[in-house]
Amino acid sequence: MLYIKPFTSEDDLPRFAEAFREGKLSYIAFSGKEIIGAIFYRARPDRLVVEEVDSGGDLGLFDGLIRAVADAAVTAGLPVLEFGPLVDRASLKALEVPVDEAGCLGSLPAFLHNCKHCNLA
């Protein structure tokens, strides 16, 4: 079973704990107990900045990780998600993520509610 959860200080995962100590937040994707992907981001006063997405080339997983962070931004009342230079632009384009010239995604609630690739029944 696939699930995505935020890293917390209670998790015994050294790689993520080290990133957390460096000021990075993360969501981790699991299949059972196996880590299959992750997203690392930083909080800024007016946005969340996605620094890296590790999805193993799986576009569905990439999309799920991006949406998890977008949801976190909306929950925190932040209007923008910014994608850093390590985020794969080809994957963003393939998923039709509406990123502007500055590498930002605004209108997060609309993005979360208009998933062209989700199988909503």
Side-chain angles (χ1 to χ4, degrees):
M1 179 172 146
L2 171 70
Y3 66 100
I4 297 173
K5 70 175 262 350
F7 171 80
T8 67
S9 59
E10 297 163 0
D11 294 318
D12 184 25
L13 300 167
R15 171 183 173 207
F16 298 94
E18 178 63 30
F20 185 76
R21 283 190 290 279
E22 295 172 1
K24 293 181 186 178
L25 303 170
S26 57
Y27 275 83
I28 310 164
F30 292 89
S31 178
K33 293 184 180 184
E34 177 187 0
I35 296 173
I36 59 169
I39 187 168
F40 295 93
Y41 62 101
R42 292 183 189 268
R44 300 286 185 251
D46 63 339
R47 66 190 61 210
L48 293 183
V49 180
V50 176
E51 294 188 349
E52 181 182 353
V53 182
D54 175 9
S55 65
D58 182 320
L59 283 178
L61 181 55
F62 185 97
D63 185 61
L65 291 164
I66 295 294
R67 287 178 184 280
V69 174
D71 184 63
V74 169
T75 300
L78 300 173
V80 175
L81 199 62
E82 180 181 333
F83 297 100
L86 296 179
V87 178
D88 182 32
R89 295 304 196 259
S91 293
L92 291 171
K93 185 175 180 177
L95 291 168
E96 301 178 31
V97 177
V99 177
D100 66 17
E101 305 82 36
C104 296
L105 168 61
S107 304
L108 295 177
F111 170 70
L112 289 170
H113 291 98
N114 293 307
C115 178
K116 295 179 183 179
H117 302 280
C118 297
N119 294 319
L120 302 175

